[in-house]
mmCIF file of all heavy atoms in Angstrom:
data_model
loop_
_atom_site.group_PDB
_atom_site.id
_atom_site.type_symbol
_atom_site.label_atom_id
_atom_site.label_comp_id
_atom_site.label_asym_id
_atom_site.label_seq_id
_atom_site.Cartn_x
_atom_site.Cartn_y
_atom_site.Cartn_z
ATOM 1 N N ILE B 300 88.693 117.111 143.226
ATOM 2 C CA ILE B 300 88.987 117.142 141.787
ATOM 3 C C ILE B 300 90.244 116.324 141.502
ATOM 4 O O ILE B 300 90.292 115.533 140.556
ATOM 5 C CB ILE B 300 89.165 118.596 141.296
ATOM 6 C CG1 ILE B 300 87.820 119.325 141.335
ATOM 7 C CG2 ILE B 300 89.739 118.626 139.877
ATOM 8 C CD1 ILE B 300 87.908 120.805 140.990
ATOM 9 N N LEU B 301 91.257 116.499 142.365
ATOM 10 C CA LEU B 301 92.509 115.777 142.137
ATOM 11 C C LEU B 301 92.357 114.270 142.352
ATOM 12 O O LEU B 301 93.163 113.485 141.864
ATOM 13 C CB LEU B 301 93.612 116.325 143.042
ATOM 14 C CG LEU B 301 94.064 117.759 142.732
ATOM 15 C CD1 LEU B 301 95.145 118.213 143.706
ATOM 16 C CD2 LEU B 301 94.566 117.868 141.291
ATOM 17 N N SER B 302 91.324 113.874 143.090
ATOM 18 C CA SER B 302 91.139 112.443 143.348
ATOM 19 C C SER B 302 90.520 111.714 142.150
ATOM 20 O O SER B 302 90.484 110.486 142.122
ATOM 21 C CB SER B 302 90.260 112.232 144.584
ATOM 22 O OG SER B 302 88.897 112.461 144.264
ATOM 23 N N ILE B 303 90.013 112.458 141.175
ATOM 24 C CA ILE B 303 89.425 111.813 139.995
ATOM 25 C C ILE B 303 90.573 111.389 139.070
ATOM 26 O O ILE B 303 91.423 112.201 138.712
ATOM 27 C CB ILE B 303 88.467 112.775 139.258
ATOM 28 C CG1 ILE B 303 87.398 113.310 140.219
ATOM 29 C CG2 ILE B 303 87.825 112.075 138.056
ATOM 30 C CD1 ILE B 303 86.628 112.260 140.978
ATOM 31 N N PRO B 304 90.593 110.108 138.670
ATOM 32 C CA PRO B 304 91.733 109.594 137.905
ATOM 33 C C PRO B 304 91.972 110.385 136.615
ATOM 34 O O PRO B 304 91.036 110.842 135.960
ATOM 35 C CB PRO B 304 91.334 108.166 137.559
ATOM 36 C CG PRO B 304 90.219 107.814 138.472
ATOM 37 C CD PRO B 304 89.584 109.079 138.923
ATOM 38 N N LYS B 305 93.236 110.507 136.251
ATOM 39 C CA LYS B 305 93.636 111.222 135.047
ATOM 40 C C LYS B 305 92.959 110.623 133.814
ATOM 41 O O LYS B 305 92.660 111.334 132.856
ATOM 42 C CB LYS B 305 95.165 111.112 134.935
ATOM 43 C CG LYS B 305 95.829 112.138 134.067
ATOM 44 C CD LYS B 305 97.340 112.180 134.352
ATOM 45 C CE LYS B 305 98.136 112.321 133.080
ATOM 46 N NZ LYS B 305 98.497 111.047 132.422
ATOM 47 N N GLY B 306 92.735 109.335 133.853
ATOM 48 C CA GLY B 306 92.086 108.656 132.728
ATOM 49 C C GLY B 306 90.712 109.217 132.395
ATOM 50 O O GLY B 306 90.266 109.141 131.251
ATOM 51 N N GLN B 307 90.035 109.796 133.386
ATOM 52 C CA GLN B 307 88.720 110.375 133.123
ATOM 53 C C GLN B 307 88.858 111.659 132.292
ATOM 54 O O GLN B 307 88.054 111.913 131.404
ATOM 55 C CB GLN B 307 87.999 110.672 134.440
ATOM 56 C CG GLN B 307 87.573 109.411 135.175
ATOM 57 C CD GLN B 307 86.392 108.751 134.495
ATOM 58 O OE1 GLN B 307 85.330 109.336 134.334
ATOM 59 N NE2 GLN B 307 86.576 107.510 134.049
ATOM 60 N N TRP B 308 89.891 112.453 132.589
ATOM 61 C CA TRP B 308 90.175 113.634 131.758
ATOM 62 C C TRP B 308 90.484 113.188 130.334
ATOM 63 O O TRP B 308 90.051 113.804 129.355
ATOM 64 C CB TRP B 308 91.368 114.411 132.307
ATOM 65 C CG TRP B 308 91.109 115.176 133.572
ATOM 66 C CD1 TRP B 308 91.377 114.765 134.846
ATOM 67 C CD2 TRP B 308 90.549 116.494 133.683
ATOM 68 N NE1 TRP B 308 91.016 115.745 135.734
ATOM 69 C CE2 TRP B 308 90.517 116.812 135.066
ATOM 70 C CE3 TRP B 308 90.083 117.435 132.753
ATOM 71 C CZ2 TRP B 308 90.028 118.035 135.530
ATOM 72 C CZ3 TRP B 308 89.605 118.650 133.226
ATOM 73 C CH2 TRP B 308 89.580 118.933 134.596
ATOM 74 N N GLU B 309 91.259 112.108 130.217
ATOM 75 C CA GLU B 309 91.669 111.649 128.892
ATOM 76 C C GLU B 309 90.487 111.094 128.111
ATOM 77 O O GLU B 309 90.362 111.321 126.908
ATOM 78 C CB GLU B 309 92.745 110.582 129.029
ATOM 79 C CG GLU B 309 93.970 111.155 129.710
ATOM 80 C CD GLU B 309 95.156 110.250 129.625
ATOM 81 O OE1 GLU B 309 94.950 109.016 129.574
ATOM 82 O OE2 GLU B 309 96.284 110.767 129.614
ATOM 83 N N ALA B 310 89.614 110.367 128.812
ATOM 84 C CA ALA B 310 88.437 109.848 128.124
ATOM 85 C C ALA B 310 87.581 111.016 127.635
ATOM 86 O O ALA B 310 87.024 110.975 126.539
ATOM 87 C CB ALA B 310 87.637 108.931 129.044
ATOM 88 N N GLY B 311 87.498 112.076 128.430
ATOM 89 C CA GLY B 311 86.768 113.267 128.001
ATOM 90 C C GLY B 311 87.402 113.882 126.762
ATOM 91 O O GLY B 311 86.709 114.218 125.803
ATOM 92 N N ALA B 312 88.721 114.000 126.778
ATOM 93 C CA ALA B 312 89.426 114.567 125.615
ATOM 94 C C ALA B 312 89.228 113.665 124.404
ATOM 95 O O ALA B 312 88.997 114.143 123.288
ATOM 96 C CB ALA B 312 90.910 114.716 125.919
ATOM 97 N N MET B 313 89.294 112.343 124.642
ATOM 98 C CA MET B 313 89.155 111.394 123.530
ATOM 99 C C MET B 313 87.802 111.567 122.835
ATOM 100 O O MET B 313 87.727 111.549 121.613
ATOM 101 C CB MET B 313 89.313 109.957 124.062
ATOM 102 C CG MET B 313 89.325 108.879 123.000
ATOM 103 S SD MET B 313 87.694 108.387 122.417
ATOM 104 C CE MET B 313 87.091 107.423 123.792
#
Side-chain angles (χ1 to χ4, degrees):
Chain B
I300 291 175
L301 293 179
S302 77
I303 305 307
K305 200 164 139 271
Q307 290 286 301
W308 287 96
E309 298 192 330
M313 186 279 286

